Structure formats: C-alpha cells, structure tokens
Amino acid sequence: MASFFGSPFLSHPLTRTLNFSSSSQTPPPPPPQTPPRSQPLSSTSSGQPVEPVPLKVQQQKPSSANSKVESTDWIASTLTRRFGLGAGLAWAGFLAFGVISEQIKTRLEVSQQEANTRNVEKVEEVVLPNGIRYYELKVGGGATPRPGDLVVIDLQGKVVGSGDVFVDTFEKEKKPLALVMGSRPYSKGVCEGIEYVLKSMKAGGKRRVVIPPGLGFGENGADLGSGEQIPPFATLEYTVEVDKVSIAPA
C-alpha cells in the first residue's frame, strides 16, 4: 500500500490538484488587473468629459445665438418664405433703421389725403363776413391746420387790377412756403387773409382767394424785395394749395 500511495500514479494526480489549485489562484489576478484597466478607462472617461465640456459649451453657444437670430428675424424669415426675398428685406430694413409707428402713421395719413382729395366739378363763389371771397378748386382730404401747426403751401399772389405777380411757388424751380399758424410777422407775400383762409382748408385742398386791403397789406402796402412792390390799399388775388399739415418742430 505504501508503495501504492507512493507510486508515481498517485503523485501525478496530486500534482494536478496542486496545479489546479494554483490555476484557480491564477484567475483572481485578472480581476485586480481589470480594475487598473478600468481605472485608466475611468480616468480617461473622466478626462475626456473635461474636453467635451467646452465642446458642449461651444455647441450650445451657436444654438443660443441661433435662437436669438430666429427670435429677431422670425417675421422677416416668415415674410421671405411666403412673399419672397423682397418682403423679408423690407421688414429687416424696418428693424435696422428703426422705423417708428409715427412714420407709418404719417404715410397712412398721406395716402388717405391723396385718396380723399377731389377736384370740384362746379366752382362757386363763397363770400365770408370779413369780405374775403374764395373759390374752391380742390377739396383736401388731409388734416385741417390748427394754431401752432406747421403748414407747407404753394402760393401765387397778384395785385387785382394790374395783374402784377409778387409771389409764385407753383413754378418748378421754386420751393413751397412754410409758416406756423398764428406766428407773425408774415413774409414772402403771405398776409393775414391767407392765414384766415387756411383755417378752413385741409391738406391737399386748393382755392382761389380774393382778399380785401384790410386783410392784406392795408394802407401802407409792402416791399417784398427784389423789386416786388404791393401798392397801398391793394386788393389781392391768391391761388393757394395746402401741401402738408404737421406738428411744428420744437
């Protein structure tokens, strides 16, 4: 039996058992080796997020910028998609140059003035209590001047009897006249009678007016310069057209 236990046949399995136990001890090292491998991965993963963080921030910045662009240009992009590039550029120009509601209102008033202005089919004489006579040539469709308003007019004036023209802005090279309602002294051929007539006119309107001497330049007449003279006690005939009525600048 001793020889049997001491035979190499039994020693060989024992050796295998020992080898198996040693081999069973060998697998545990991989787990310890795995953590080191996982640790570099975790370190690299922890290191990599450090780099992607600015990348994510960089990716978020364009998105925020795009959101701002979309918020400011949403109307322009909508107009561009629906009505073409011209409409989008028009709205962008509106935002760029700060076109305010007052400007839009002015444009609407001008368009309404043009739409409501009409020529008079039958011209009739109107006599006022102060002696002024006028003939309505065109009924204006705009605003009526009030005290303090700036009124831009085209004016032609001549002396009744002689026919001498002392003012005429209807010519192409001449500029219209501007006056503030209620502001004196008058100049450039404008007299008190003209201001009185303007109170009942509207922007776009046109009248032929005959003004007696008392509401013209009276007993003294006037020297308008450049050789233009209005004699004393002259009756004056004007053609006046209201181009624009607006608030006078401060």
Side-chain angles (χ1 to χ4, degrees):
M1 295 292 292
S3 62
F4 177 77
F5 284 104
S7 64
F9 176 77
L10 291 177
S11 64
H12 184 68
L14 290 175
T15 305
R16 286 185 178 180
T17 303
L18 292 174
N19 290 335
F20 179 77
S21 62
S22 63
S23 62
S24 62
Q25 294 175 357
T26 305
Q33 290 178 358
T34 304
R37 291 181 182 176
S38 61
Q39 287 177 357
L41 290 174
S42 62
S43 63
T44 54
S45 62
S46 62
Q48 287 177 352
V50 175
E51 296 178 355
V53 166
L55 291 176
K56 290 181 180 179
V57 172
Q58 292 176 357
Q59 291 176 356
Q60 290 177 357
K61 287 182 180 179
S63 62
S64 61
N66 290 333
S67 63
K68 291 181 181 179
V69 172
E70 289 177 358
S71 63
T72 55
D73 293 343
W74 177 80
I75 297 178
S77 62
T78 302
L79 290 174
T80 303
R81 288 194 301 267
R82 292 188 177 181
F83 304 103
L85 183 60
L89 291 176
W91 182 257
F94 174 82
L95 295 177
F97 295 101
V99 177
I100 58 176
S101 60
E102 187 65 26
Q103 293 176 335
I104 298 177
K105 179 181 177 182
T106 301
R107 292 180 181 178
L108 291 176
E109 289 177 350
V110 171
S111 62
Q112 290 177 358
Q113 172 184 324
E114 294 176 353
N116 297 329
T117 298
R118 57 182 177 83
N119 293 322
V120 176
E121 297 180 357
K122 185 179 180 180
V123 178
E124 297 179 352
E125 182 184 62
V126 178
V127 181
L128 301 178
N130 56 12
I132 293 177
R133 295 177 289 132
Y134 72 84
Y135 305 84
E136 200 83 63
L137 304 178
K138 187 187 298 183
V139 178
T144 300
R146 297 174 298 180
D149 284 348
L150 177 67
V151 185
V152 180
I153 62 173
D154 275 310
L155 189 69
Q156 183 192 68
K158 58 185 178 181
V159 178
V160 175
S162 66
D164 294 337
V165 177
F166 54 87
V167 61
D168 190 359
T169 64
F170 284 96
E171 299 178 3
K172 293 182 179 180
E173 65 273 10
K174 298 294 183 65
K175 294 182 179 181
L177 301 178
L179 69 150
V180 177
M181 295 293 290
S183 177
R184 300 188 183 187
Y186 304 110
S187 62
K188 298 182 180 180
V190 179
C191 63
E192 183 181 354
I194 289 296
E195 184 181 31
Y196 189 90
V197 170
L198 289 174
K199 293 178 181 179
S200 60
M201 296 184 69
K202 293 183 178 181
K206 186 176 182 180
R207 288 177 179 176
R208 184 165 65 90
V209 184
V210 179
I211 297 178
L215 295 174
F217 295 95
E219 61 182 6
N220 296 323
D223 183 3
L224 304 180
S226 301
E228 301 294 341
Q229 297 284 335
I230 297 177
F233 301 104
T235 300
L236 308 176
E237 180 179 342
Y238 288 92
T239 300
V240 55
E241 183 172 11
V242 182
D243 295 332
K244 183 179 180 181
V245 177
S246 62
I247 300 174

